[in-house]
Amino acid sequence: MELINKNFIVTDSDVKKFQKEGFLLLKGIYSQEFVETIKAKIDSDITAPSDKYQAGFSRIAFDLFEGDETISSLMTEKKFREIMNKLSGKELLYTQGLGFELKKNDSKGFPWHIGTQSFGYQRAEDFGCTIWTPLVSIDNTKQQGGMAYVPKSKISGEFLYDDVDPVVFEMTQKKIEANEEISLEEFVHLRDGPLNDEAMKKILDFYAVQDDFELGDALIFDKHVIHRSVFLKDGEIEARAAFVMRFVCSESKYDKKRALNLEIPRKHFNYKGPTRFHLDVCDEENDLIKNSKLFKDDIKTRTLSIN
Ligand SMILES: O=C(O)CCC(=O)C(=O)O
Ligand SMILES: [Fe+2]
């Protein structure tokens, strides 16, 4: 099967744009066959969310398509590796596949956020990025249902990894230890508020970009890009699923404290997280993520080396 379209190219100005803004529309990157294959497979793998944070979706999945042949073929395809290497300027490591589904007229998806969960096992300074692929076409003049994202040259989400996330979890832990009253709603507000309280939301909405997508198009965005789901309005399309792949720089190291932080609210409020990946991927602070026991059988496939 042809996975990447033969005609797809990354220009030097694409690279510049991606480096500056943190995201890039990959117009027609995938073959129709690839998209159809993923679309058919994803349907049986995504399920109703368990976690408060994923409740905005009708169905989700983390750690999707482990060992899947189509994904392995994509990761080992020369052209795909060259594209990823050229855009990021780095050797990348494929970490996780995810699925998110919005049901029309119903699912809110995620408000403005960064990858607190998906990049929450990696040091703040290490590079990470996502390829987001919608499995229906997205028309912003009609039903919408895509994503909105803010150029990091305007507002970067770096301060959330560096400052806000660590203190929100620390503050929650301290309140719990001091037996102070903290409700789940309050925690959710501490986590979502910095990007979604009134003035910040207004600023982000003002600078937001929303692309249209045809089948075969995808969006690459790095972990500093602040983004949100866009509501799927009434219309012909019943639901919008998206397939998501996460990548980290192959020299990334484990941030154990950040990973364990994610468990603080889950333990206290007694709800289940969507994945154990951040807990199982490494054991010790600063372990190289590429040496993970989770990757021991397929590290060559996951490492997008171009040599
Ligand atoms: O598909 C969506 O609406 C959200 C996806 C997202 O936030 C992500 O891939 O990081
Ligand atoms: Fe996200």
Side-chain angles (χ1 to χ4, degrees):
M1 185 199 322
E2 182 187 273
L3 304 168
I4 300 289
N5 270 326
K6 279 194 198 70
N7 302 334
F8 182 81
I9 52 156
V10 170
T11 64
D12 291 344
S13 92
D14 288 337
V15 175
K16 275 204 190 108
K17 193 166 188 284
F18 177 62
Q19 300 281 341
K20 179 170 177 254
E21 300 192 331
F23 62 83
L24 185 74
L25 178 65
L26 305 172
K27 190 85 203 132
I29 182 172
Y30 297 125
S31 69
Q32 294 302 305
E33 210 181 339
F34 175 74
V35 177
E36 288 306 326
T37 306
I38 295 298
K39 191 175 173 169
K41 285 186 195 188
I42 211 166
D43 199 52
S44 54
D45 289 19
I46 48 179
T47 52
S50 63
D51 177 330
K52 173 84 191 84
Y53 268 95
Q54 275 74 33
F57 294 92
S58 47
R59 294 188 298 164
I60 61 149
F62 274 66
D63 311 300
L64 203 58
F65 302 149
E66 280 302 301
D68 179 84
E69 263 174 39
T70 313
I71 301 304
S72 299
S73 307
L74 180 67
M75 294 308 153
T76 49
E77 177 157 341
K78 188 165 177 276
K79 181 146 183 167
F80 182 69
R81 289 187 168 195
E82 284 168 356
I83 293 166
M84 294 302 278
N85 186 276
K86 183 164 181 184
L87 283 171
S88 66
K90 293 175 169 56
E91 182 183 81
L92 298 178
L93 177 70
Y94 172 59
T95 55
Q96 269 180 308
L98 293 81
F100 294 100
E101 184 191 69
L102 298 175
K103 197 172 140 200
K104 82 167 169 196
N105 258 332
D106 186 37
S107 314
K108 291 202 168 64
F110 285 136
W112 288 114
H113 70 284
I114 45 103
T116 305
Q117 171 69 52
S118 285
F119 300 107
Y121 52 83
Q122 183 199 28
R123 295 181 309 179
E125 65 265 37
D126 291 334
F127 179 86
C129 69
T130 293
I131 301 183
W132 181 86
T133 308
L135 302 170
V136 295
S137 53
I138 307 286
D139 183 343
N140 287 295
T141 65
K142 291 189 176 147
Q143 260 184 280
Q144 308 193 337
M147 283 226 291
Y149 21 92
V150 175
K152 68 177 187 184
S153 52
K154 292 291 179 198
I155 308 165
S156 162
E158 198 172 355
F159 75 107
L160 296 155
Y161 292 94
D162 288 346
D163 302 327
V164 181
D165 267 359
V167 298
V168 164
F169 287 102
E170 184 184 274
M171 196 173 148
T172 305
Q173 177 71 27
K174 283 190 189 297
K175 283 181 176 247
I176 292 168
E177 280 167 5
N179 274 329
E180 267 180 56
E181 192 67 27
I182 177 163
S183 64
L184 179 57
E185 287 66 35
E186 193 180 340
F187 169 73
V188 170
H189 185 216
L190 287 175
R191 222 184 112 166
D192 290 346
L195 293 182
N196 292 281
D197 281 353
E198 209 182 336
M200 193 59 165
K201 186 176 180 309
K202 225 180 222 176
I203 295 167
L204 294 173
D205 283 340
F206 183 82
Y207 285 106
V209 174
Q210 270 177 241
D211 290 299
D212 289 338
F213 291 80
E214 292 173 301
L215 288 180
D217 299 347
L219 181 82
I220 183 168
F221 60 102
D222 78 31
K223 76 175 194 184
H224 291 151
V225 173
I226 300 170
H227 58 284
R228 67 167 168 82
S229 309
V230 175
F231 196 75
L232 181 66
K233 295 182 181 173
D234 203 12
E236 275 173 21
I237 300 169
E238 289 301 319
R240 176 280 272 169
F243 173 53
V244 168
M245 295 182 286
R246 308 283 193 213
F247 302 86
V248 298
C249 166
S250 67
E251 293 307 311
S252 298
K253 291 183 176 167
Y254 191 48
D255 189 335
K256 189 167 182 169
K257 183 156 200 305
R258 191 178 293 272
L260 293 179
N261 272 351
L262 291 168
E263 296 305 302
I264 294 170
R266 290 171 188 159
K267 263 193 210 125
H268 185 68
F269 300 113
N270 197 21
Y271 63 90
K272 209 170 162 280
T275 174
R276 281 192 54 85
F277 184 89
H278 57 293
L279 301 173
D280 296 338
V281 65
C282 294
D283 296 316
E284 302 303 333
E285 191 76 23
N286 284 326
D287 277 354
L288 274 167
I289 289 168
K290 67 180 173 190
N291 292 339
S292 171
K293 57 186 175 298
L294 300 182
F295 303 154
K296 70 179 181 347
D297 294 330
D298 66 352
I299 188 64
K300 282 216 167 86
T301 305
R302 290 177 181 273
T303 308
L304 308 188
S305 149
I306 52 167
N307 303 311

